[in-house]
Amino acid sequence: MVSKPRTGKGKSAIVSDEQQTIAQYVPDLQNWPASWRVDDEDISAGREIVAILTPFLEHLLTLGYARKTLLRHREHIWMLGGEMIRHRHENPDRLALPAEALLDELIEEDGGPLIWPTITESEQNSFDATCRKLYQYRNRASLG
């Protein structure tokens, strides 16, 4: 019998190690660029964003989080991608930026960008927690 990974509170994680796949966790990942699209040029930028965010999504699967926690982080990463596209359109200088550079501008040690349209303070705090995890993940990956 295969034991399921445990979360810090002794609850079962989303699925067992053999079953954890990005396709199960984010079945619509390939549709994200179209969901963020403002104009046709956004599809290629969206694909670039998905490419840089996918390793983090895969990393989250290895942490043994409960299903609800994983789904919350997934939603926040989708929101972040949409914010990246929005920021590209609000500032013409950002249109030429590679997605990684834009991501580095938008997330920091304290969290992520303010979501528009405005969300509640609690929702923003939760989104910022995911952005902090992404920031830490990216900094660890760049260090070694």
Side-chain angles (χ1 to χ4, degrees):
M1 180 171 166
V2 176
S3 65
K4 291 186 178 180
R6 309 301 279 180
T7 65
K9 295 182 181 179
K11 297 178 182 175
S12 294
I14 192 167
V15 287
S16 69
D17 284 337
E18 290 79 23
Q19 297 171 334
Q20 289 183 346
T21 67
I22 195 74
Q24 289 172 315
Y25 172 42
V26 194
D28 62 339
L29 185 60
Q30 296 310 311
N31 298 331
W32 283 13
S35 72
W36 300 324
R37 177 182 164 268
V38 174
D39 60 39
D40 290 340
E41 296 169 5
D42 295 331
I43 297 295
S44 63
R47 287 185 185 126
E48 188 179 344
I49 292 168
V50 165
I52 62 171
L53 294 176
T54 297
F56 176 67
L57 290 166
E58 291 169 339
H59 168 72
L60 290 173
L61 287 173
T62 69
L63 300 178
Y65 289 138
R67 176 177 172 75
K68 184 176 177 181
T69 301
L70 284 170
L71 295 177
R72 185 183 67 235
H73 286 309
R74 178 189 71 187
E75 178 69 16
H76 293 157
I77 294 301
W78 175 81
M79 290 168 57
L80 179 60
E83 281 301 299
M84 291 174 71
I85 295 294
R86 185 177 73 79
H87 279 266
R88 289 179 76 243
H89 285 277
E90 285 188 348
N91 184 340
D93 293 338
R94 289 181 169 160
L95 283 172
L97 276 181
E100 269 196 77
L102 180 57
L103 179 61
D104 289 340
E105 278 189 16
L106 294 179
I107 65 167
E108 55 189 34
E109 193 173 359
D110 293 335
L114 291 176
I115 297 298
W116 184 259
T118 306
I119 57 178
T120 67
E121 183 176 350
S122 173
E123 292 167 330
Q124 183 70 47
N125 289 340
S126 182
F127 172 77
D128 286 339
T130 298
C131 290
R132 284 191 297 273
K133 287 186 183 310
L134 175 58
Y135 178 85
Q136 292 166 355
Y137 170 79
R138 289 179 53 80
N139 282 334
R140 266 191 295 256
S142 69
L143 293 176

